[in-house]
Amino acid sequence: MQLETKKQFLNYQNKPLWWQSFNTFYHSPLIHGIILVFPAEEPCYTKAEEEAQALIKEHNYTLPVLYCKGGVERQDSVYNALETAPASCSHVLIHDSARPFFTAKLIADLVEQFENGHKAVIPSLPVSDTVKEFAVTSNFSKIVTNTPNRNFLRTVQTPQAFALPELFRAHKLIQEEKLPITDDAMAMEELGIPVLLIDGEKSNHKITYKEDLEMLEKTSFLPVTGYGYDVHKYSSARPFVLGGVALDTDIMIEAHSDGDVLIHALMDALLSCMAAGDIGKHFPDTSKEFENISSLILLDKVMQLWNKTSLTLTHVDLTIICQKPKISTYTEQIKKNMCRLLGLSENQVNVKATTEEGLGFTGNLQGIKAVALVSAVKML
């Protein structure tokens, strides 16, 4: 049975279904802006845009979001969105919000292929059933005419990834010649641009029929927590860097890299969520490769691993423990830095500092330590 309510506005966890896809895109550090396309009919469009703006404001989301009206056909809606994209945009991912269960890993897998020179990349799955082609006879019977080799057949999913100039050119051709297409990869095919198939996700189901709504109830998430801890001694070796922010202090740090104790604790917490060991395993302090290296570069390498998992980062709590220097004047700057580096909003990152009341090695001004607690969810 077909759905009565438009799929993207179905209720899921007390929010419209499109919000699930929006959140996955928003929390990927590979995404730099989102365009939401809503049905053009009034008052549906105005209501949808107002609801979207309210949700984004409620969650303190800061990523740029643009809005545009859809068209009569799917291809018209995509064309309108491409015209809305800013001039600085070079690549886009096109997604159908009726597929709410894709992961950040799929985004990373698609975007990775841009670096290999591909201009069109789509996720796909092998066909498990035998497929038949048929013809309709004069009495409307269906007679099999061919059985394609299913080893050379794939079903495709969204999001699909494209170089924007080529996709826009392809859609202009489709508009001018009024060609019917079923996905954006087909538009690129019309232009003669090779389309790369990569593995999709079995959980990336499409909501089409009423029976599919059961998937919304069955889908569950596993909460995951990662803990990180790091310590550095004070010495005369390196300038003081904390959370990627240079501190104005005479105190210096002893370290193999740049000694950013907060980033190191954060990386350990992220690796803990992935059950992927610790920073010593990935970036040993015996390796010349990592000598003097910025911890921000190391964090980027950890996030590249993260983006290949099915984990979604939801919250980060960071604690800096030292007697001196005074950290409170830097916590807001560090927090903004963390939000930018992790692709999180300000209500998802907490940064605080404390002393140990003159006790222990921190109290004796021998060093500094940091603790990181990372919360994430993993789709089952």
Side-chain angles (χ1 to χ4, degrees), residues 142-197:
K142 297 182 180 71
I143 303 298
V144 171
T145 58
N146 185 40
T147 303
N149 184 344
R150 69 184 183 192
N151 293 326
F152 296 97
L153 297 174
R154 306 276 286 194
T155 59
V156 300
Q157 304 174 327
T158 64
Q160 300 181 354
F162 305 98
L164 179 55
E166 286 79 3
L167 182 62
F168 190 64
R169 195 151 47 93
H171 268 279
K172 285 194 79 170
L173 174 68
I174 296 299
Q175 291 284 324
E176 290 166 2
E177 300 192 7
K178 302 188 185 308
L179 300 173
I181 60 171
T182 54
D183 71 351
D184 301 285
M186 191 173 173
M188 296 291 262
E189 293 164 33
E190 289 289 339
L191 209 61
I193 293 175
V195 177
L196 177 70
L197 293 171

Side-chain angles (χ1 to χ4, degrees), residues 188-242:
M188 296 291 262
E189 293 164 33
E190 289 289 339
L191 209 61
I193 293 175
V195 177
L196 177 70
L197 293 171
I198 66 167
D199 289 338
E201 296 175 324
K202 290 183 179 179
S203 60
N204 190 13
H205 302 289
K206 186 175 182 180
I207 306 299
T208 304
Y209 303 102
K210 255 187 176 175
E211 294 78 10
D212 298 335
L213 292 174
E214 294 177 9
M215 287 189 289
L216 301 184
E217 303 301 324
K218 292 179 180 177
T219 301
S220 59
F221 298 88
L222 175 70
V224 181
T225 301
Y227 176 81
Y229 173 85
D230 197 42
V231 173
H232 277 292
K233 290 191 292 185
Y234 291 159
S235 73
S236 58
R238 301 188 184 281
F240 207 124
V241 179
L242 197 60

Side-chain angles (χ1 to χ4, degrees), residues 43-173:
C44 178
Y45 178 83
T46 299
K47 181 181 177 183
E49 184 175 338
E50 288 175 351
E51 183 178 50
Q53 290 174 344
L55 282 169
I56 291 166
K57 183 178 180 180
E58 175 189 339
H59 289 77
N60 295 317
Y61 284 176
T62 55
L63 199 69
V65 178
L66 300 175
Y67 304 88
C68 81
K69 293 183 177 180
V72 177
E73 302 292 340
R74 180 190 184 280
Q75 62 204 61
D76 302 320
S77 298
V78 173
Y79 185 77
N80 292 349
L82 296 179
E83 285 198 311
T84 305
S88 59
C89 181
S90 61
H91 293 79
V92 294
L93 273 70
I94 310 293
H95 182 61
D96 181 353
S97 60
R99 290 186 183 272
F101 304 127
F102 70 103
T103 68
K105 179 182 182 300
L106 184 56
I107 295 174
D109 290 346
L110 290 163
V111 172
E112 182 181 15
Q113 295 303 327
F114 289 147
E115 298 175 5
N116 296 328
H118 295 284
K119 297 182 182 298
V121 192
I122 63 174
S124 65
L125 294 175
V127 174
S128 56
D129 297 322
T130 297
V131 177
K132 300 289 185 180
E133 294 178 357
F134 66 90
V136 180
T137 65
S138 57
N139 64 351
F140 303 105
S141 299
K142 297 182 180 71
I143 303 298
V144 171
T145 58
N146 185 40
T147 303
N149 184 344
R150 69 184 183 192
N151 293 326
F152 296 97
L153 297 174
R154 306 276 286 194
T155 59
V156 300
Q157 304 174 327
T158 64
Q160 300 181 354
F162 305 98
L164 179 55
E166 286 79 3
L167 182 62
F168 190 64
R169 195 151 47 93
H171 268 279
K172 285 194 79 170
L173 174 68

Side-chain angles (χ1 to χ4, degrees), residues 74-75 148 172 211 213 294 301 315 324-326 334 367:
R74 180 190 184 280
Q75 62 204 61
K172 285 194 79 170
E211 294 78 10
L213 292 174
S294 167
K301 292 179 182 293
H315 194 81
K324 287 185 178 179
K326 189 173 179 61
I334 291 171

